[in-house]
């Protein structure tokens, strides 16, 4: 599984980082540093879904 | 014009005041608060990452005290809270705490929280006539959840509530000589709390469990929280997670009772609870205002703001800004997207947000389900306080 952030939509709500700061790293200002394609380690898929769903700006998605 | 958000009329209906401020003076110097009130969504959002605004506001006070006293002991504890530090101290504490709040850790607590919620509602339903939903359910609930999470024995849970009140009293400062006595008692209570948490930390160091306190002991590289830091963290979780969650549940319930159409909608579609709670947090969330100290010259919407001044970020106003939300004064449980900032934004964004959401969702869902005839029995009175949006009582009837 891979996840991505659309940086033009990310507003630094930080909610993804609250779910899991390793899967959803944030930069120094609290913006998502997930980038255009980030690998989710095996076993962390459910957490990744939770983090993606927690973004109030809908900036995150699971890549097809 | 100078606006006083703690005047009774402004406490009863802050949203009318906020609307006026947003349209006429969105960066308002309030003589009453001796602070800038920032009320528009975009300005509040920008403020969260403006380096001129600092969270480090306890240590400067502490540094000014010449003689050590009981108060400086307790202030020393508060000064170590991540919520009143800036990077790099904040970055370190936040990283060390983050593991304990991971989504999966919180997600598995659903059953336990449901059981705690149900036992409080059982107590409430055992009573009859007009009762206060805050003192019976919304107030005790979050303290029990935090005590349980930290692995404290059930018998000690009542003391968590007292400590939480005492922390609030000390953290939000005193006011006048009449309260000096209460303040003194609060400090004594908090010294007891300090001892209690130290004992709890000792136990967990020797005998770790799957509780949150044990999780807070995890290493980040070769760094870890010291005993004193763990004690401060326990106190912070109690302080940050109690009153906020109480008011979140109470305000949400009130909003639903005032909007029967939306309440029916939720009853008909219980799966709506996720977005419903986000909307209830936006509509009338527990925090009105967050505080920042100004540490460098800066400008917001043409107003010059100088070091030594304070700014108040008015979350409750930002969440009703029509520039950001369509029909902001309408409660729409299905609102999506809903980029409210009831949990703040940026590096200090609420670390307990997943837990707070879970508690509020379960509590509101169970109240709605188990009290089908719930009615408001008296007009609630709002507390005249700046930081939180809080009622004294929420007196209701259920048949
Ligand atoms: C609905 C309930 C809650 C609301 C509305 C809320 C809101 C907030 C807000 C707005 C902040 C940012 C403060 C700032 O920027 O200065 C914050 C920070 C914090 N919250 Fe919450 N909170 C809630 C519940 C909780 C719970 C249940 C816990 C933990 C048990 C918690 C723990 C914290 C901590 C530790 C911080 C400091 C984070 C930091 O400085 O990095 N909160 N909260
Ligand atoms: S939750 Fe969404 S908006 Fe917030 S930091 Fe993560 S990606 Fe950005």
């Amino acid at each position: 599984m891979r996840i991505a952030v659309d940086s033009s939509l990310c507003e630094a709500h930080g909610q993804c980082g609250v779910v899991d700061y390793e899967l959803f790293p944030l930069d120094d200002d609290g913006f998502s540093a997930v980038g255009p394609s980030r690998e989710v380690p095996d076993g962390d898929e459910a957490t990744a879904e939770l983090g993606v769903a927690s973004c109030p700006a809908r900036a995150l998605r699971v890549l097809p | 014009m100078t606006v006083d958000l703690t005047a009774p009329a402004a406490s009863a209906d802050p949203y009318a005041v906020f609307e006026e401020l947003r349209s006429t003076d969105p960066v308002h110097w309030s003589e009453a608060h001796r602070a800038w009130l920032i009320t528009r969504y975009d300005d509040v959002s920008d403020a969260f990452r403006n380096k001129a605004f600092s969270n480090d506001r306890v240590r400067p006070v502490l540094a000014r005290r010449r003689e050590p006293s009981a108060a400086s002991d307790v202030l020393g504890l508060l000064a170590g809270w991540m919520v009143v530090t800036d990077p790099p101290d904040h970055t370190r504490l936040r990283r060390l705490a983050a593991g304990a709040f991971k989504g999966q850790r919180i997600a598995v607590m659903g059953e336990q929280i449901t059981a705690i919620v149900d036992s409080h509602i059982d107590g409430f339903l055992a009573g009859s006539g007009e009762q206060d939903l805050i003192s019976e359910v919304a107030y005790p609930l979050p303290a029990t959840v935090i005590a349980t999470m930290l692995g404290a024995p059930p018998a000690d849970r009542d003391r968590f509530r007292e400590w939480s009140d005492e922390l609030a009293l000390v953290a939000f400062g005193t006011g006048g000589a009449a309260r000096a006595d209460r303040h003194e008692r609060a400090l004594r209570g908090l010294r007891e709390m300090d001892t209690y948490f130290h004992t709890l930390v000792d136990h967990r160091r020797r005998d770790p469990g799957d509780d949150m306190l044990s999780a807070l002991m995890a290493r980040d590289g070769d760094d870890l929280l010291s005993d004193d830091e763990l004690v401060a963290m326990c106190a912070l979780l109690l302080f940050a997670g109690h009153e906020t969650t109480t008011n979140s549940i109470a305000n949400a319930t009130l909003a639903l009772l005032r909007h029967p159409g939306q309440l029916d909608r939720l009853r008909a579609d219980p799966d709506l609870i996720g977005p419903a709670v986000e909307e209830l947090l936006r509509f009338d969330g527990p925090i009105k205002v967050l505080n920042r100290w100004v540490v460098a010259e800066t400008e917001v919407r043409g107003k010059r703001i100088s070091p030594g001044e304070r700014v108040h970020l008015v979350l409750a106003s930002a969440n009703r800004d029509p520039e950001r939300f369509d029909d902001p004064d309408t409660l729409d449980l299905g609102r999506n997207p809903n980029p409210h900032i009831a949990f703040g934004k940026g590096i200090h964004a609420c670390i307990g947000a997943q837990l707070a959401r879970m508690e509020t969702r379960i509590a509101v869902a169970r109240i709605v389900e188990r009290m089908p005839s719930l009615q408001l029995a008296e007009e609630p009175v709002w507390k005249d306080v700046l930081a939180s949006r809080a009622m004294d009582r929420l007196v209701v009837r259920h048949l």
Side-chain angles (χ1 to χ4, degrees):
Chain A
M1 184 195 235
R2 304 190 77 84
I3 50 176
V5 65
D6 180 340
S7 297
S8 68
L9 294 177
C10 174
E11 299 172 343
H13 287 280
Q15 297 300 309
C16 54
V18 168
V19 171
D20 194 314
Y21 61 99
E22 279 159 347
L23 286 179
F24 299 97
L26 301 173
D27 71 14
D28 290 349
D29 290 326
F31 287 84
S32 174
V34 158
S37 172
R38 183 181 174 88
E39 177 84 44
V40 175
D42 287 343
D44 283 346
E45 290 82 1
T47 310
E49 306 258 3
L50 203 63
V52 167
S54 75
C55 174
R58 294 195 292 190
L60 293 163
R61 64 197 175 98
V62 173
L63 292 176
Chain B
M1 173 186 81
T2 181
V3 165
D4 180 359
L5 295 178
T6 56
S11 295
D13 182 14
Y15 298 106
V17 180
F18 297 156
E19 186 179 352
E20 170 86 16
L21 280 174
R22 276 193 313 266
S23 53
T24 62
D25 194 16
V27 181
H28 171 75
W29 173 256
S30 161
E31 209 37 61
H33 297 294
R34 307 224 27 94
W36 295 95
L37 305 181
I38 301 187
T39 46
R40 286 198 190 166
Y41 186 98
D42 286 347
D43 294 342
V44 173
S45 275
D46 288 346
F48 277 115
R49 60 184 150 123
N50 186 336
K51 304 275 188 291
F53 300 144
S54 162
N55 275 47
D56 188 358
R57 52 196 189 271
V58 177
R59 274 183 283 201
V61 177
L62 205 56
R64 276 201 297 275
R65 297 199 174 215
R66 261 175 250 114
E67 287 146 43
S69 65
S72 40
D73 278 2
V74 175
L75 276 180
L77 179 92
L78 312 197
W81 286 356
M82 66 173 129
V83 70
V84 289
T85 56
D86 291 336
D89 293 351
H90 172 264
T91 319
R92 170 179 173 263
L93 292 169
R94 176 110 185 178
R95 282 196 61 89
L96 284 163
F101 285 94
K102 279 195 176 178
Q104 290 301 323
R105 284 192 62 83
I106 304 296
V108 298
M109 289 174 32
E111 248 170 75
Q112 221 176 353
I113 292 177
T114 305
I116 297 172
V117 167
D118 275 334
S119 77
H120 285 94
I121 296 183
D122 289 343
F124 184 83
L125 291 177
S128 61
E130 297 182 355
Q131 294 183 82
D132 179 10
L133 196 70
I134 294 181
S135 63
E136 300 303 315
V137 180
Y139 175 71
L141 180 71
T144 308
V145 169
I146 292 167
T148 308
M149 278 179 351
L150 292 176
D156 297 338
R157 286 172 194 166
D158 284 352
R159 302 166 77 188
F160 278 71
R161 285 185 232 170
E162 288 161 28
W163 293 330
S164 152
D165 289 348
E166 289 159 357
L167 281 169
L169 190 76
V170 173
F172 290 130
T174 44
R179 289 175 66 189
D181 177 47
R182 272 176 68 203
H183 194 245
E184 195 44 52
R185 256 183 297 142
L187 290 175
R188 274 202 299 277
L190 292 180
R191 257 171 300 178
E192 202 185 290
M193 176 194 75
D194 189 69
T195 310
Y196 181 92
F197 283 149
H198 267 290
T199 312
L200 202 60
V201 166
D202 273 354
H203 278 295
R204 287 287 165 277
R205 283 256 194 242
R206 271 181 274 126
D207 183 17
D210 58 4
D211 54 281
M212 190 171 262
L213 183 51
S214 302
L216 285 167
M217 291 173 180
R219 287 175 175 277
D220 176 23
D222 49 14
D223 194 12
L224 81 177
L225 293 172
S226 70
D227 285 7
D228 285 347
E229 286 172 332
L230 283 167
V231 167
M233 193 68 79
C234 290
L236 171 59
L237 300 187
L238 182 57
F239 171 74
H242 186 200
E243 207 206 303
T244 44
T245 311
T246 296
N247 295 330
S248 160
I249 296 167
N251 297 0
T253 307
L254 176 69
L256 288 172
L257 290 173
R258 290 237 161 104
H259 297 83
Q262 294 295 312
L263 178 54
D264 288 344
R265 189 176 169 194
L266 181 57
R267 283 219 166 91
D269 180 10
D271 288 346
L272 199 59
I273 192 68
V277 164
E278 299 310 309
E279 175 68 348
L280 291 159
L281 283 164
R282 181 194 72 82
F283 187 77
D284 206 4
I287 300 184
K288 274 192 292 193
V289 168
L290 292 177
N291 241 300
R292 296 290 190 260
W293 280 104
V294 183
V295 292
E297 199 79 35
T298 188
E299 218 180 82
V300 181
R301 221 171 263 280
K303 298 272 175 84
R304 174 170 287 277
I305 296 182
S306 305
E309 295 177 341
R310 285 185 307 163
V311 294
H312 289 340
L313 311 182
V314 190
L315 303 188
S317 171
N319 282 337
R320 297 277 193 114
D321 188 340
E323 302 271 320
R324 190 59 215 242
F325 299 98
D326 295 337
D327 301 322
D329 297 323
T330 302
L331 180 74
D332 170 9
L333 298 187
R335 193 181 286 271
N336 184 13
N338 190 345
H340 70 77
I341 50 174
F343 290 117
K345 234 183 178 190
I347 60 168
H348 288 280
C350 182
I351 200 171
Q354 288 294 103
L355 177 63
R357 290 189 160 104
M358 168 132 48
E359 284 185 66
T360 309
R361 284 176 193 166
I362 295 175
V364 171
R366 297 303 280 160
I367 288 170
V368 166
E369 190 184 329
R370 296 188 61 192
M371 303 182 195
S373 62
L374 195 68
Q375 277 174 8
L376 201 58
E378 87 183 17
E379 265 314 292
V381 178
W382 295 93
K383 290 187 189 170
D384 295 332
V385 289
L386 172 69
S388 44
R389 173 83 172 140
M391 292 173 268
D392 280 320
R393 289 185 307 277
L394 181 59
V395 184
V396 294
R397 226 180 279 117
H398 69 93
L399 301 174

